[in-house]
Amino acid sequence: MSNACRVVVLISGNGSNLQAIIDRQAELSIEIVGVISNRPDVYGLERAQQANINTKVLDHTTFESRELFDNELSELIESYQPELVVLAGYMRIMTQELVKHFEGKMLNIHPSILPKYPGLNTHRRAIEAGDSEHGSSVHFVTEVLDGGPIIAQAKLNITENDTEQSLADRIKQLEHTLFPKVIGWFAASRLEFKQNQTYLDGKLLSSPLLIE
Ligand code: GAR
């Protein structure tokens, strides 16, 4: 896999998105060279170990400040010499310095149809607002929380029977197709981040692509 795009994945939990990416490494021409979790003992670490991927825990609770944590995280990520950094359920706000350092090569998946509902509790907020639609977005990470240029989205209809949990589950199913697809575009050098905008195959993406 020597020509494969070197990817570091950051997680904080279960890692079902990580699994979807692990399962498609060959197809996407990527190699996950490291998985870093800010929480110990999460299932995502086991998933990586089962796939013989190097893992590291950097427990944020043992750092005195966000700055100190992110400085160490930045060095740890760099030690893998990645071409792409993927946030797959990584639940920490990053310092502007860290974000700037990896600008244009860091992708995040967020469970809402951004720009709706940046931040936490997106499923509850969509239900409480009486929305008929909900979904997930993949975007380049910039200094604005969940605010970088959106590359692609997947959507579903909210039904009367949906709960926070059912939406979380249904959205993850969509994410497992959406995220690998966008990562594959990046690995194939089809995606570019320039002046806070995204280009796919050299064309400016004026609105997010909808992935079915
Ligand atoms: C995913 O739904 C992802 O969109 C969300 O966390 C979940 C992680 O699930 N990310 C965020 O909320 C980031 N703000 P997973 O650990 O099973 O992949």
Side-chain angles (χ1 to χ4, degrees):
M1 291 226 277
S2 57
N3 289 328
C5 175
R6 294 174 64 83
V7 179
V8 165
V9 182
L10 269 55
I11 59 167
S12 301
N14 172 63
S16 71
N17 277 286
L18 166 66
Q19 187 70 58
I21 303 163
I22 289 174
D23 293 345
R24 296 183 62 188
Q25 287 185 93
E27 184 190 332
L28 302 174
S29 295
I30 63 167
E31 181 184 0
I32 303 176
V33 289
V35 169
I36 304 171
S37 173
N38 67 307
R39 292 189 181 279
D41 305 323
V42 294
Y43 186 51
L45 288 167
E46 261 179 60
R47 295 182 190 268
Q49 283 152 9
Q50 275 161 21
N52 291 318
I53 295 167
N54 189 276
T55 59
K56 289 267 164 32
V57 173
L58 199 62
D59 183 347
H60 66 273
T61 63
T62 65
F63 286 78
E64 272 174 23
S65 69
R66 191 177 295 280
E67 285 67 30
L68 288 172
F69 174 75
D70 271 7
N71 286 346
E72 184 110 356
L73 178 60
S74 186
E75 278 178 25
L76 183 56
I77 297 171
E78 280 296 5
S79 72
Y80 290 105
Q81 300 183 297
E83 292 157 276
L84 174 66
V85 181
V86 165
L87 309 187
Y90 181 69
M91 301 303 285
R92 291 243 345 136
I93 292 175
M94 290 176 157
T95 57
Q96 306 235 326
E97 204 183 350
L98 180 66
V99 168
K100 200 80 203 155
H101 186 81
F102 292 103
E103 195 172 74
K105 53 188 241 181
M106 188 183 274
L107 296 174
N108 181 41
I109 191 156
H110 181 78
S112 77
I113 307 173
L114 289 169
K116 267 193 163 181
Y117 313 131
L120 297 174
N121 304 317
T122 59
H123 311 307
R124 189 187 318 157
R125 287 154 75 194
I127 290 172
E128 283 175 1
D131 290 356
S132 56
E133 261 193 341
H134 190 34
S136 188
S137 309
V138 177
H139 64 93
F140 277 111
V141 177
T142 66
E143 292 163 44
V144 185
L145 178 67
D146 299 325
I150 306 159
I151 302 159
Q153 296 178 317
K155 297 183 183 175
L156 51 71
N157 292 320
I158 299 181
T159 69
E160 272 176 26
N161 297 328
D162 268 316
T163 60
E164 248 184 270
Q165 188 58 52
S166 73
L167 282 182
D169 295 342
R170 291 175 64 211
I171 280 183
K172 279 193 194 187
Q173 290 305 315
L174 298 178
E175 291 183 328
H176 299 164
T177 304
L178 171 67
F179 210 6
K181 186 163 263 188
V182 177
I183 290 166
W185 294 339
F186 186 96
S189 303
R190 295 179 59 192
L191 264 186
E192 216 186 335
F193 175 90
K194 274 192 298 200
Q195 287 154 351
N196 212 37
Q197 290 181 310
T198 298
Y199 294 77
L200 180 65
D201 298 329
K203 288 203 197 94
L204 176 67
L205 276 185
S206 47
S207 55
L209 292 160
L210 190 60
I211 304 298
E212 301 294 337

